[in-house]
């Protein structure tokens, strides 16, 4: 590791006295390796995107030129820069006119730390979707908005409107830290949740691009101050450069002119609350409170990520590892240290291998921790013990703890449209309500007076909103990405396909005798990039082509274990014949309160495939040719079937297939 002294350069560790980072800290003595110069000063082979970033004048050119020409699209270099500003150029495949090529439009994504949406911004987004979008709003799995259908000539109006109404799109996409998630719980009487929201916002500010290019592009250089000033400690800690985290005298002190090798994702939560899918993030941050209820510090996890490529074993989903604990006064320094390691050591030659998870996988967590400590300036403390994780969706009515109510509303696959969109607008505007977007594509109305509750229920129920307990639980715990026809990466349906898939699965479960409240976590994506985190699902569908999906099984309801690929290709028309033997076996052999994901992980795919091989459904058995058997043989086969929890037809078919084979 050129540019480092200490253990990784084969020399003795350097011991130095570290000055306190705030006036209240005492001097500390640490013995760690520290960087002499950023390893990124020695350039290696780089992908084309790296060259585009380097020549862009910190994300300005050629985007600024492309936005003002007469074309309906921007060129490929500008497309790469546009992502950093919070937008993707898309082609609406179903609006292409014969002989006219692609139908270009843009998707805009907001920056919404913790999913917190002020009332003014909600109304603005609702207006923009009708005036410049496709009439809908999309709630994402990372607590942001996506506005689809914006034409190039309207981009500046749309972006500037968001900025001037308490919002931002800066770094919602691109090779930077993206939207920072946190638990959407609106509790005002539980300080750990308030800290999670606060630090999600602070970390988002800490790692936001600083060059001012965003304002040059969308506001002609006018810096528009937000409604909330940046935490002064964030400003001070960003500027601190005692251990090589920063580029001195650069408009981008943390990122430099190359930014990060790839996207970077952070989530903040409290012990036990895994509503944010903590283990799927590049960095997971867990608030640690003292027994007396004071903030002490944070546990850190690193190296999670979902994206992969079909039939490329060098790409894979990965869960984050425990890195260590830091006291509250050092959290921003620790975050900078982790980002600096990824910045300086993450691969820039192959974008399929450039996420932080591959660096942690290659090095191992111990080596990764050691290099982080070089940029951090001292040892990380041991990871603090945590309680069992649970998935929470915060749907239904809850007390906030300040005398007001919150109401979590189910939005199927995150698509706000039609009567529901109009009814929500009326309620949110009438009562001036703020909103929180959830990691499960739903939203929470906040700060509701008890006296408003009846009117809100009446207004929303008229638009089809159901109580949380009345929502089919398969739908309630399911997620799908937008996929076709807009996403350029999609090779299959997701948002438009999952509702029917869920209905078919529910009908199959009814046929097999499951209770109406039986459910498991289902997630569907139109490609293997995994935006809805399907590799954590108990039942995951990953698009593999038209009407075809890779089938994943074995995740947990708490989102703490990776699923595994059970079937490489499943055609949609074979859904029932594929799932019926799995669900039949699950019903027959499950343990008390065992979930589908835990069952699949316990019995293993070999046993499931073996059972499925000879499985015969009741409808198939009824239509099969009849074969006579001696009574003693019939009784023996029935006894075997009873013992194995199979139907008689299943056992007979297995035996005959084995004999014929």
């Amino acid at each position: 590791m050129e540019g480092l002294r200490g253990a990784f350069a084969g020399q003795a560790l350097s011991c130095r006295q570290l000055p306190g980072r705030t006036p209240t800290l005492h001097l500390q003595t640490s013995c760690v390796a520290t960087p002499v110069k950023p390893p990124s000063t020695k350039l290696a082979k780089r992908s084309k995107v790296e060259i585009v970033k380097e020549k862009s004048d910190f994300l300005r050119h050629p985007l600024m030129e492309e936005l003002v020409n007469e074309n309906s699209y921007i060129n490929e270099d500008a497309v790469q820069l546009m992502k950093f500003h919070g937008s993707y150029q898309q082609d609406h495949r179903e609006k292409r006119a014969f002989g006219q090529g692609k139908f270009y439009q843009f998707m805009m994504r907001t920056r919404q730390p913790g999913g917190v949406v002020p009332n003014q911004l909600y109304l603005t987004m609702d207006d923009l979707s009708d005036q410049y979008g496709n009439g809908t709003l999309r709630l994402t799995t990372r607590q942001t908005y996506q506005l689809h259908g914006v034409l190039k000539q309207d981009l500046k109006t749309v972006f500037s409107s968001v900025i001037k109404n308490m919002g931002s799109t800066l770094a919602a996409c691109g090779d930077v830290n993206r939207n920072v998630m946190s638990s959407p719980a609106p509790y005002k009487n539980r300080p750990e949740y308030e800290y999670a929201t606060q630090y999600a916002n602070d970390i988002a500010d800490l790692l936001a691009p600083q060059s001012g290019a965003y304002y040059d592009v969308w506001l002609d250089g006018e810096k528009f101050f937000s409604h909330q000033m940046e935490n002064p400690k964030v400003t001070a800690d960003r500027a601190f450069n005692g251990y090589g985290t920063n580029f001195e005298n650069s408009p981008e002190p943390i990122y430099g002119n190359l930014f990060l090798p790839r996207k970077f994702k952070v989530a903040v939560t409290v012990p036990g609350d895994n509503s944010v899918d903590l283990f799927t993030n590049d960095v997971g941050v867990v608030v640690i409170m003292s027994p007396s209820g004071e903030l002490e510090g944070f546990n850190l996890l690193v190296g999670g990520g979902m994206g992969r490529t079909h039939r490329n074993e060098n790409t894979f989903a990965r869960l984050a590892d425990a890195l260590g604990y830091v006291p509250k006064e050092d959290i921003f320094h620790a975050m900078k240290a982790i980002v600096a390691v990824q910045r300086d050591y993450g691969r820039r030659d192959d974008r399929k291998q450039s996420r932080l998870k591959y660096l942690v996988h290659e090095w191992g967590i111990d080596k990764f921790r050691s290099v982080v400590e070089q940029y951090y300036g001292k040892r990380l403390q041991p990871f603090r013990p945590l309680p069992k994780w649970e998935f929470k969706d915060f749907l239904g009515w809850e007390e906030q703890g300040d005398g007001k109510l919150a109401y979590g509303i189910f939005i199927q696959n995150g698509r706000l449209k039609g009567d529901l969109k109009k009814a929500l607008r009326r309620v949110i505007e009438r009562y001036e309500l703020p909103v929180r977007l959830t990691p499960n594509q739903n939203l929470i109305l906040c700060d509701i007076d008890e006296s408003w509750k009846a009117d809100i229920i009446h207004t929303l129920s008229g638009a089809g909103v159901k109580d949380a307990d009345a929502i089919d639980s398969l739908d309630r715990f399911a997620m799908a990405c937008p996929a076709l026809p807009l996403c350029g990466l999609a090779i299959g349906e997701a948002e438009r396909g999952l509702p029917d898939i869920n209905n078919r699965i529910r009908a199959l479960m009814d046929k097999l005798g499951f209770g109406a409240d039986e459910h498991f976590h289902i997630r569907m994506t139109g490609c293997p990039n995994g935006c809805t985190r399907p590799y954590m699902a108990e039942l995951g569908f990953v698009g593999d082509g038209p009407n075809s999906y890779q089938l994943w099984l074995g995740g947990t309801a708490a989102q703490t274990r990776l699923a595994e690929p059970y079937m490489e290709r499943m055609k949609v028309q074979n859904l029932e014949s594929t799932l019926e033997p799995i669900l039949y076996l699950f019903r027959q052999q499950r343990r008390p309160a065992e979930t589908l994901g835990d069952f699949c992980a316990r019995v293993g795919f070999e046993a499931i495939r073996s059972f499925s091989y000879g499985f015969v459904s009741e409808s198939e058995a009824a239509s099969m040719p009849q074969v006579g058997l001696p009574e003693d043989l019939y009784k023996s086969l029935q006894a075997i079937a009873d013992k194995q929890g199979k139907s008689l037809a299943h056992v007979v078919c297995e035996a005959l297939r084995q004999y014929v084979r």
Side-chain angles (χ1 to χ4, degrees), residues 146-184:
Q146 285 185 177
L147 177 60
H148 292 271
V150 181
L151 300 180
K152 178 182 168 182
Q153 65 262 28
D154 297 326
L155 282 170
K156 205 154 192 176
T157 299
V158 171
F159 274 71
S160 62
S161 296
V162 170
I163 296 168
K164 293 177 179 179
N165 286 277
M166 307 172 73
S168 176
T169 66
L170 177 61
C173 322
D175 300 341
V176 285
N177 176 59
R178 298 194 180 183
N179 194 57
V180 180
M181 300 169 69
S182 74
S183 172

Side-chain angles (χ1 to χ4, degrees), residues 625-636:
Q626 301 298 307
V627 177
L629 294 173
E631 185 175 355
D632 60 333
L633 181 56
Y634 176 88
K635 290 181 178 179
S636 296

Side-chain angles (χ1 to χ4, degrees), residues 88-222:
Y88 284 87
Q89 180 170 267
Q90 297 183 328
D91 167 30
H92 197 310
R93 306 182 206 184
E94 296 175 358
K95 287 189 176 182
R96 293 176 181 173
F98 181 75
Q100 296 186 16
K102 296 181 178 181
F103 188 93
Y104 288 105
Q105 56 184 42
F106 292 80
M107 177 273 285
M108 183 195 72
R109 182 184 295 157
T110 60
R111 171 188 182 266
Q112 237 47 79
V116 175
V117 183
N119 176 264
Q120 180 181 337
L121 179 60
Y122 184 96
L123 299 179
T124 298
M125 293 300 299
D126 189 72
D127 288 338
L128 291 174
S129 68
D130 291 334
Q131 296 169 13
Y132 301 103
N134 64 3
T136 74
L137 279 173
R138 189 58 155 70
L139 314 183
T140 77
T141 58
R142 293 197 66 80
Q143 298 179 277
T144 68
Y145 285 116
Q146 285 185 177
L147 177 60
H148 292 271
V150 181
L151 300 180
K152 178 182 168 182
Q153 65 262 28
D154 297 326
L155 282 170
K156 205 154 192 176
T157 299
V158 171
F159 274 71
S160 62
S161 296
V162 170
I163 296 168
K164 293 177 179 179
N165 286 277
M166 307 172 73
S168 176
T169 66
L170 177 61
C173 322
D175 300 341
V176 285
N177 176 59
R178 298 194 180 183
N179 194 57
V180 180
M181 300 169 69
S182 74
S183 172
Y187 305 137
K188 302 295 179 65
N189 60 342
R190 297 184 61 178
E192 67 272 27
Y193 277 102
E194 294 188 283
Y195 283 126
T197 302
Q198 172 191 328
Y199 277 88
N201 191 75
D202 285 346
I203 292 170
D205 286 346
L206 175 77
L207 301 178
Q210 299 293 306
S211 73
Y214 182 69
Y215 301 99
D216 289 344
V217 173
W218 305 112
L219 295 178
D220 298 323
E222 175 190 356

Side-chain angles (χ1 to χ4, degrees), residues 396-415:
W397 290 93
E398 290 193 86
E399 294 185 0
Q400 292 184 171
D402 61 351
K404 294 191 176 183
L405 303 175
Y407 186 31
I409 300 172
F410 171 71
I411 310 294
Q412 189 167 45
N413 297 326
R415 182 68 67 180

